[in-house]
Amino acid sequence: MLTVLDHPLITHKLTQMRDKNCGTKDFREHLDEIAELMAYEVCRDLPVKPVEIETPMAKMTGYELSKEVIIVPILRAGIGLLDGIRRLVPTAKVGFIGLYRDEETLEPHEYFAKFPKNLEDAIVMVVDPMLATGGSAVDAINMIKKRGAKNIKMVCLVGAPEGVKALEEAHPDVDLYLAALDEKLNETGYIVPGLGDAGDRIFGTK
Ligand code: PRP
Ligand code: URA
């Protein structure tokens, strides 16, 4: 299921990032702040369990998170969302998937994978700023499902309708969160209007 988190603060920061004159430092900072704001909404339905505690005044039943959260950034650009989410869920463990998109075929290629244990019992958040054709997200989720993950959330900043469709068809059980659903992909597989190449803008590689 798709949820577009078009909160005014998220939209405001995303608009600043989209601007071609936004430099590396500001781009990274806005992305980090948006990740924290998105995480608040993405975590809204995390399961909790009752726990007996004693305040200075009385005994009471409180509630604490009942499942481990594992964040899985898709390298490279997914790294830009990691710290913001971890500020809200500091106990989260982190896995990594390295994928790059072939510039000609647009097919994703895997170059790295490393995960914490217990993927099968955890809430797994796969994070990547861009959902273009959806190939990278679909492959990343295939990889973590193969290792047992059952409860998966895909968190992206900007999506194209083509990527949303591909993800919904391949993984209808996965909840998808976007900050914005854009118009289309162009002939070279970039999201329009989008924000350009997220990895290059985060790491200053172009
Ligand atoms: C970008 C982006 C996604 C992917 C999206 O990564 O961060 O992972 O493209 O495109 P898709 O939906 O068509 O698969 P890229 O492959 O450019 O690698 P990078 O993060 O190292 O820059
Ligand atoms: N990857 C990006 O970084 N940007 C796009 O628009 C599409 C894929």
Side-chain angles (χ1 to χ4, degrees):
M1 198 185 67
L2 169 64
T3 306
V4 180
L5 300 172
D6 51 0
H7 185 286
L9 287 175
I10 294 177
T11 308
H12 174 86
K13 292 172 197 293
L14 176 58
T15 299
Q16 293 184 328
M17 291 175 72
R18 287 182 189 272
D19 190 325
K20 65 178 183 184
N21 296 315
C22 180
T24 301
K25 174 178 175 293
D26 288 340
F27 190 91
R28 257 200 330 257
E29 287 176 1
H30 292 318
L31 180 60
D32 180 60
E33 290 166 8
I34 291 175
E36 189 169 355
L37 292 167
M38 289 185 78
Y40 184 76
E41 284 299 327
V42 171
C43 291
R44 184 173 283 284
D45 65 350
L46 290 189
V48 292
K49 63 178 182 203
V51 52
E52 301 304 321
I53 60 156
E54 202 170 334
T55 78
M57 310 304 291
K59 290 186 176 175
M60 67 166 281
T61 304
Y63 293 88
E64 62 182 20
L65 295 180
S66 61
K67 289 208 174 254
E68 196 161 76
V69 174
I70 298 178
I71 309 167
V72 180
I74 301 178
L75 305 178
R76 292 175 302 166
I79 290 280
L81 292 160
L82 179 59
D83 286 348
I85 301 177
R86 273 212 295 190
R87 279 199 297 280
L88 285 197
V89 196
T91 53
K93 295 186 173 161
V94 182
F96 293 93
I97 293 177
L99 289 177
Y100 73 89
R101 203 169 71 138
D102 183 290
E103 285 180 9
E104 298 295 319
T105 65
L106 303 182
E107 289 294 320
H109 294 274
E110 178 187 334
Y111 61 88
F112 189 72
K114 180 95 180 164
F115 302 102
K117 293 196 185 82
N118 294 332
L119 277 173
E120 59 277 11
D121 295 324
I123 313 281
V124 183
M125 287 182 201
V126 182
V127 303
D128 189 328
M130 309 308 278
L131 182 74
T133 65
S136 302
V138 168
D139 267 25
I141 292 169
N142 284 338
M143 288 166 70
I144 57 170
K145 279 189 174 172
K146 222 185 282 170
R147 289 163 172 89
K150 292 186 189 74
N151 195 333
I152 304 168
K153 295 170 182 290
M154 182 79 215
V155 183
C156 301
L157 197 62
V158 181
E162 295 88 334
V164 172
K165 184 165 179 279
L167 188 66
E168 284 177 344
E169 281 175 7
H171 298 294
D173 55 313
V174 170
D175 288 330
L176 169 62
Y177 299 86
L178 297 176
L181 177 60
D182 275 12
E183 195 189 320
K184 60 177 182 183
L185 291 181
N186 71 8
E187 58 292 345
T188 52
Y190 277 81
I191 301 174
V192 179
L195 46 71
D197 189 303
D200 285 341
R201 294 195 68 185
I202 293 167
F203 298 108
T205 39
K206 240 177 215 166

mmCIF file of all heavy atoms in Angstrom, residues 173-206:
data_model
loop_
_atom_site.group_PDB
_atom_site.id
_atom_site.type_symbol
_atom_site.label_atom_id
_atom_site.label_comp_id
_atom_site.label_asym_id
_atom_site.label_seq_id
_atom_site.Cartn_x
_atom_site.Cartn_y
_atom_site.Cartn_z
ATOM 1 N N ASP A 173 2.658 -7.124 -0.582
ATOM 2 C CA ASP A 173 2.603 -7.160 0.894
ATOM 3 C C ASP A 173 3.442 -6.051 1.535
ATOM 4 O O ASP A 173 3.395 -5.876 2.759
ATOM 5 C CB ASP A 173 3.133 -8.519 1.385
ATOM 6 C CG ASP A 173 4.536 -8.799 0.854
ATOM 7 O OD1 ASP A 173 4.761 -8.614 -0.372
ATOM 8 O OD2 ASP A 173 5.409 -9.165 1.649
ATOM 9 N N VAL A 174 4.222 -5.329 0.753
ATOM 10 C CA VAL A 174 5.148 -4.335 1.315
ATOM 11 C C VAL A 174 4.500 -2.951 1.348
ATOM 12 O O VAL A 174 3.954 -2.496 0.338
ATOM 13 C CB VAL A 174 6.455 -4.298 0.473
ATOM 14 C CG1 VAL A 174 7.340 -3.124 0.865
ATOM 15 C CG2 VAL A 174 7.206 -5.612 0.636
ATOM 16 N N ASP A 175 4.552 -2.295 2.515
ATOM 17 C CA ASP A 175 4.044 -0.923 2.613
ATOM 18 C C ASP A 175 5.078 0.039 2.037
ATOM 19 O O ASP A 175 6.253 -0.025 2.402
ATOM 20 C CB ASP A 175 3.795 -0.543 4.075
ATOM 21 C CG ASP A 175 2.589 -1.269 4.636
ATOM 22 O OD1 ASP A 175 1.672 -1.565 3.855
ATOM 23 O OD2 ASP A 175 2.588 -1.553 5.846
ATOM 24 N N LEU A 176 4.632 0.918 1.147
ATOM 25 C CA LEU A 176 5.532 1.877 0.504
ATOM 26 C C LEU A 176 5.212 3.288 0.990
ATOM 27 O O LEU A 176 4.042 3.703 0.992
ATOM 28 C CB LEU A 176 5.351 1.799 -1.025
ATOM 29 C CG LEU A 176 6.010 2.901 -1.860
ATOM 30 C CD1 LEU A 176 7.537 2.883 -1.700
ATOM 31 C CD2 LEU A 176 5.635 2.761 -3.333
ATOM 32 N N TYR A 177 6.249 4.019 1.402
ATOM 33 C CA TYR A 177 6.097 5.405 1.857
ATOM 34 C C TYR A 177 6.937 6.306 0.964
ATOM 35 O O TYR A 177 8.114 6.039 0.737
ATOM 36 C CB TYR A 177 6.582 5.559 3.304
ATOM 37 C CG TYR A 177 5.811 4.705 4.283
ATOM 38 C CD1 TYR A 177 6.177 3.381 4.504
ATOM 39 C CD2 TYR A 177 4.724 5.221 4.983
ATOM 40 C CE1 TYR A 177 5.462 2.585 5.400
ATOM 41 C CE2 TYR A 177 4.013 4.436 5.879
ATOM 42 C CZ TYR A 177 4.386 3.124 6.076
ATOM 43 O OH TYR A 177 3.679 2.343 6.960
ATOM 44 N N LEU A 178 6.322 7.381 0.475
ATOM 45 C CA LEU A 178 7.026 8.385 -0.341
ATOM 46 C C LEU A 178 6.790 9.759 0.270
ATOM 47 O O LEU A 178 5.753 9.990 0.908
ATOM 48 C CB LEU A 178 6.458 8.420 -1.763
ATOM 49 C CG LEU A 178 6.569 7.189 -2.657
ATOM 50 C CD1 LEU A 178 5.843 7.467 -3.982
ATOM 51 C CD2 LEU A 178 8.033 6.839 -2.922
ATOM 52 N N ALA A 179 7.734 10.679 0.021
ATOM 53 C CA ALA A 179 7.479 12.086 0.363
ATOM 54 C C ALA A 179 6.773 12.772 -0.809
ATOM 55 O O ALA A 179 6.079 13.767 -0.617
ATOM 56 C CB ALA A 179 8.790 12.801 0.680
ATOM 57 N N ALA A 180 6.980 12.262 -2.029
ATOM 58 C CA ALA A 180 6.315 12.833 -3.206
ATOM 59 C C ALA A 180 6.222 11.790 -4.312
ATOM 60 O O ALA A 180 7.158 11.019 -4.526
ATOM 61 C CB ALA A 180 7.095 14.042 -3.727
ATOM 62 N N LEU A 181 5.073 11.798 -4.988
ATOM 63 C CA LEU A 181 4.897 10.953 -6.179
ATOM 64 C C LEU A 181 4.985 11.876 -7.387
ATOM 65 O O LEU A 181 4.125 12.752 -7.577
ATOM 66 C CB LEU A 181 3.536 10.248 -6.126
ATOM 67 C CG LEU A 181 3.179 9.381 -7.322
ATOM 68 C CD1 LEU A 181 4.196 8.261 -7.531
ATOM 69 C CD2 LEU A 181 1.785 8.789 -7.148
ATOM 70 N N ASP A 182 6.045 11.725 -8.169
ATOM 71 C CA ASP A 182 6.281 12.627 -9.294
ATOM 72 C C ASP A 182 5.550 12.157 -10.553
ATOM 73 O O ASP A 182 4.836 11.157 -10.546
ATOM 74 C CB ASP A 182 7.787 12.776 -9.530
ATOM 75 C CG ASP A 182 8.392 13.858 -8.627
ATOM 76 O OD1 ASP A 182 7.701 14.306 -7.703
ATOM 77 O OD2 ASP A 182 9.542 14.240 -8.851
ATOM 78 N N GLU A 183 5.840 12.911 -11.658
ATOM 79 C CA GLU A 183 5.024 12.749 -12.865
ATOM 80 C C GLU A 183 5.370 11.512 -13.673
ATOM 81 O O GLU A 183 4.515 10.736 -14.071
ATOM 82 C CB GLU A 183 5.245 14.028 -13.687
ATOM 83 C CG GLU A 183 4.288 14.271 -14.775
ATOM 84 C CD GLU A 183 4.780 15.458 -15.621
ATOM 85 O OE1 GLU A 183 5.289 16.447 -15.030
ATOM 86 O OE2 GLU A 183 4.685 15.362 -16.846
ATOM 87 N N LYS A 184 6.689 11.317 -13.921
ATOM 88 C CA LYS A 184 7.061 10.257 -14.885
ATOM 89 C C LYS A 184 8.569 10.015 -14.856
ATOM 90 O O LYS A 184 9.333 10.748 -14.203
ATOM 91 C CB LYS A 184 6.662 10.679 -16.296
ATOM 92 C CG LYS A 184 7.342 11.970 -16.726
ATOM 93 C CD LYS A 184 7.010 12.345 -18.158
ATOM 94 C CE LYS A 184 7.780 13.611 -18.515
ATOM 95 N NZ LYS A 184 7.524 14.141 -19.815
ATOM 96 N N LEU A 185 8.977 9.010 -15.639
ATOM 97 C CA LEU A 185 10.402 8.796 -15.916
ATOM 98 C C LEU A 185 10.723 9.389 -17.274
ATOM 99 O O LEU A 185 9.884 9.350 -18.183
ATOM 100 C CB LEU A 185 10.705 7.290 -15.990
ATOM 101 C CG LEU A 185 10.625 6.470 -14.712
ATOM 102 C CD1 LEU A 185 10.996 5.019 -15.015
ATOM 103 C CD2 LEU A 185 11.533 7.039 -13.641
ATOM 104 N N ASN A 186 11.950 9.893 -17.442
ATOM 105 C CA ASN A 186 12.327 10.337 -18.787
ATOM 106 C C ASN A 186 12.953 9.174 -19.552
ATOM 107 O O ASN A 186 13.021 8.038 -19.053
ATOM 108 C CB ASN A 186 13.225 11.586 -18.744
ATOM 109 C CG ASN A 186 14.630 11.274 -18.231
ATOM 110 O OD1 ASN A 186 14.990 10.113 -18.037
ATOM 111 N ND2 ASN A 186 15.405 12.313 -18.008
ATOM 112 N N GLU A 187 13.440 9.454 -20.761
ATOM 113 C CA GLU A 187 13.935 8.364 -21.622
ATOM 114 C C GLU A 187 15.209 7.712 -21.092
ATOM 115 O O GLU A 187 15.551 6.590 -21.488
ATOM 116 C CB GLU A 187 14.099 8.832 -23.089
ATOM 117 C CG GLU A 187 15.016 10.013 -23.336
ATOM 118 C CD GLU A 187 14.492 11.359 -22.784
ATOM 119 O OE1 GLU A 187 13.310 11.489 -22.440
ATOM 120 O OE2 GLU A 187 15.335 12.269 -22.702
ATOM 121 N N THR A 188 15.905 8.387 -20.151
ATOM 122 C CA THR A 188 17.101 7.758 -19.564
ATOM 123 C C THR A 188 16.823 7.216 -18.154
ATOM 124 O O THR A 188 17.747 6.916 -17.402
ATOM 125 C CB THR A 188 18.298 8.747 -19.524
ATOM 126 O OG1 THR A 188 17.869 9.963 -18.891
ATOM 127 C CG2 THR A 188 18.817 9.045 -20.905
ATOM 128 N N GLY A 189 15.550 7.109 -17.791
ATOM 129 C CA GLY A 189 15.195 6.472 -16.522
ATOM 130 C C GLY A 189 15.303 7.376 -15.319
ATOM 131 O O GLY A 189 15.296 6.890 -14.185
ATOM 132 N N TYR A 190 15.392 8.686 -15.524
ATOM 133 C CA TYR A 190 15.405 9.623 -14.389
ATOM 134 C C TYR A 190 13.989 10.124 -14.103
ATOM 135 O O TYR A 190 13.176 10.282 -15.019
ATOM 136 C CB TYR A 190 16.346 10.806 -14.660
ATOM 137 C CG TYR A 190 17.781 10.449 -14.333
ATOM 138 C CD1 TYR A 190 18.551 9.735 -15.243
ATOM 139 C CD2 TYR A 190 18.334 10.758 -13.090
ATOM 140 C CE1 TYR A 190 19.851 9.353 -14.930
ATOM 141 C CE2 TYR A 190 19.624 10.375 -12.772
ATOM 142 C CZ TYR A 190 20.378 9.676 -13.691
ATOM 143 O OH TYR A 190 21.650 9.299 -13.361
ATOM 144 N N ILE A 191 13.748 10.375 -12.815
ATOM 145 C CA ILE A 191 12.425 10.852 -12.405
ATOM 146 C C ILE A 191 12.286 12.331 -12.768
ATOM 147 O O ILE A 191 13.203 13.126 -12.544
ATOM 148 C CB ILE A 191 12.221 10.654 -10.886
ATOM 149 C CG1 ILE A 191 12.350 9.167 -10.517
ATOM 150 C CG2 ILE A 191 10.862 11.197 -10.451
ATOM 151 C CD1 ILE A 191 12.316 8.879 -9.018
ATOM 152 N N VAL A 192 11.127 12.671 -13.355
ATOM 153 C CA VAL A 192 10.823 14.056 -13.744
ATOM 154 C C VAL A 192 9.592 14.528 -12.957
ATOM 155 O O VAL A 192 8.584 13.812 -12.931
ATOM 156 C CB VAL A 192 10.550 14.143 -15.259
ATOM 157 C CG1 VAL A 192 10.216 15.583 -15.666
ATOM 158 C CG2 VAL A 192 11.739 13.623 -16.061
ATOM 159 N N PRO A 193 9.622 15.668 -12.263
ATOM 160 C CA PRO A 193 10.753 16.595 -12.173
ATOM 161 C C PRO A 193 11.898 16.088 -11.285
ATOM 162 O O PRO A 193 13.028 16.486 -11.485
ATOM 163 C CB PRO A 193 10.130 17.876 -11.594
ATOM 164 C CG PRO A 193 8.920 17.415 -10.852
ATOM 165 C CD PRO A 193 8.408 16.201 -11.581
ATOM 166 N N GLY A 194 11.629 15.230 -10.297
ATOM 167 C CA GLY A 194 12.681 14.589 -9.524
ATOM 168 C C GLY A 194 13.630 15.540 -8.837
ATOM 169 O O GLY A 194 13.272 16.665 -8.460
ATOM 170 N N LEU A 195 14.859 15.070 -8.662
ATOM 171 C CA LEU A 195 15.906 15.925 -8.087
ATOM 172 C C LEU A 195 17.265 15.595 -8.662
ATOM 173 O O LEU A 195 18.296 15.988 -8.109
ATOM 174 C CB LEU A 195 15.903 15.837 -6.546
ATOM 175 C CG LEU A 195 15.824 14.452 -5.881
ATOM 176 C CD1 LEU A 195 17.099 13.691 -6.044
ATOM 177 C CD2 LEU A 195 15.473 14.616 -4.411
ATOM 178 N N GLY A 196 17.266 14.854 -9.783
ATOM 179 C CA GLY A 196 18.539 14.477 -10.411
ATOM 180 C C GLY A 196 19.061 13.184 -9.811
ATOM 181 O O GLY A 196 18.282 12.357 -9.335
ATOM 182 N N ASP A 197 20.373 13.022 -9.821
ATOM 183 C CA ASP A 197 20.990 11.797 -9.307
ATOM 184 C C ASP A 197 21.242 11.962 -7.809
ATOM 185 O O ASP A 197 22.110 12.739 -7.388
ATOM 186 C CB ASP A 197 22.305 11.525 -10.044
ATOM 187 C CG ASP A 197 22.855 10.159 -9.690
ATOM 188 O OD1 ASP A 197 23.076 9.899 -8.485
ATOM 189 O OD2 ASP A 197 23.048 9.337 -10.601
ATOM 190 N N ALA A 198 20.468 11.228 -7.008
ATOM 191 C CA ALA A 198 20.522 11.418 -5.552
ATOM 192 C C ALA A 198 21.915 11.112 -5.005
ATOM 193 O O ALA A 198 22.458 11.878 -4.199
ATOM 194 C CB ALA A 198 19.472 10.538 -4.881
ATOM 195 N N GLY A 199 22.511 9.994 -5.442
ATOM 196 C CA GLY A 199 23.836 9.614 -4.938
ATOM 197 C C GLY A 199 24.866 10.694 -5.224
ATOM 198 O O GLY A 199 25.649 11.091 -4.353
ATOM 199 N N ASP A 200 24.864 11.186 -6.441
ATOM 200 C CA ASP A 200 25.835 12.227 -6.809
ATOM 201 C C ASP A 200 25.623 13.502 -5.998
ATOM 202 O O ASP A 200 26.582 14.166 -5.597
ATOM 203 C CB ASP A 200 25.731 12.543 -8.312
ATOM 204 C CG ASP A 200 26.364 11.444 -9.161
ATOM 205 O OD1 ASP A 200 27.164 10.659 -8.613
ATOM 206 O OD2 ASP A 200 26.042 11.371 -10.357
ATOM 207 N N ARG A 201 24.362 13.840 -5.746
ATOM 208 C CA ARG A 201 24.097 15.085 -5.008
ATOM 209 C C ARG A 201 24.423 14.935 -3.520
ATOM 210 O O ARG A 201 24.859 15.886 -2.879
ATOM 211 C CB ARG A 201 22.640 15.531 -5.234
ATOM 212 C CG ARG A 201 22.397 15.926 -6.695
ATOM 213 C CD ARG A 201 21.122 16.692 -6.887
ATOM 214 N NE ARG A 201 21.173 18.020 -6.279
ATOM 215 C CZ ARG A 201 20.146 18.848 -6.222
ATOM 216 N NH1 ARG A 201 18.972 18.485 -6.746
ATOM 217 N NH2 ARG A 201 20.258 20.030 -5.668
ATOM 218 N N ILE A 202 24.240 13.731 -2.974
ATOM 219 C CA ILE A 202 24.579 13.517 -1.551
ATOM 220 C C ILE A 202 26.098 13.511 -1.362
ATOM 221 O O ILE A 202 26.618 14.085 -0.410
ATOM 222 C CB ILE A 202 24.004 12.166 -1.053
ATOM 223 C CG1 ILE A 202 22.483 12.189 -1.027
ATOM 224 C CG2 ILE A 202 24.557 11.812 0.332
ATOM 225 C CD1 ILE A 202 21.845 10.815 -0.846
ATOM 226 N N PHE A 203 26.791 12.839 -2.279
ATOM 227 C CA PHE A 203 28.221 12.617 -2.060
ATOM 228 C C PHE A 203 29.113 13.545 -2.897
ATOM 229 O O PHE A 203 30.336 13.457 -2.824
ATOM 230 C CB PHE A 203 28.559 11.143 -2.315
ATOM 231 C CG PHE A 203 27.838 10.221 -1.354
ATOM 232 C CD1 PHE A 203 26.793 9.413 -1.776
ATOM 233 C CD2 PHE A 203 28.177 10.209 -0.009
ATOM 234 C CE1 PHE A 203 26.117 8.603 -0.883
ATOM 235 C CE2 PHE A 203 27.501 9.405 0.900
ATOM 236 C CZ PHE A 203 26.470 8.596 0.454
ATOM 237 N N GLY A 204 28.496 14.406 -3.704
ATOM 238 C CA GLY A 204 29.274 15.394 -4.459
ATOM 239 C C GLY A 204 30.125 14.765 -5.542
ATOM 240 O O GLY A 204 31.208 15.271 -5.867
ATOM 241 N N THR A 205 29.637 13.671 -6.132
ATOM 242 C CA THR A 205 30.462 12.955 -7.109
ATOM 243 C C THR A 205 30.264 13.423 -8.549
ATOM 244 O O THR A 205 30.802 12.812 -9.455
ATOM 245 C CB THR A 205 30.209 11.429 -7.011
ATOM 246 O OG1 THR A 205 28.815 11.195 -6.782
ATOM 247 C CG2 THR A 205 31.008 10.816 -5.895
ATOM 248 N N LYS A 206 29.481 14.479 -8.766
ATOM 249 C CA LYS A 206 29.423 15.007 -10.126
ATOM 250 C C LYS A 206 29.395 16.529 -10.104
ATOM 251 O O LYS A 206 28.896 17.110 -9.159
ATOM 252 C CB LYS A 206 28.213 14.473 -10.872
ATOM 253 C CG LYS A 206 28.670 13.703 -12.110
ATOM 254 C CD LYS A 206 27.520 13.075 -12.860
ATOM 255 C CE LYS A 206 27.978 11.726 -13.439
ATOM 256 N NZ LYS A 206 26.874 10.914 -13.886
#
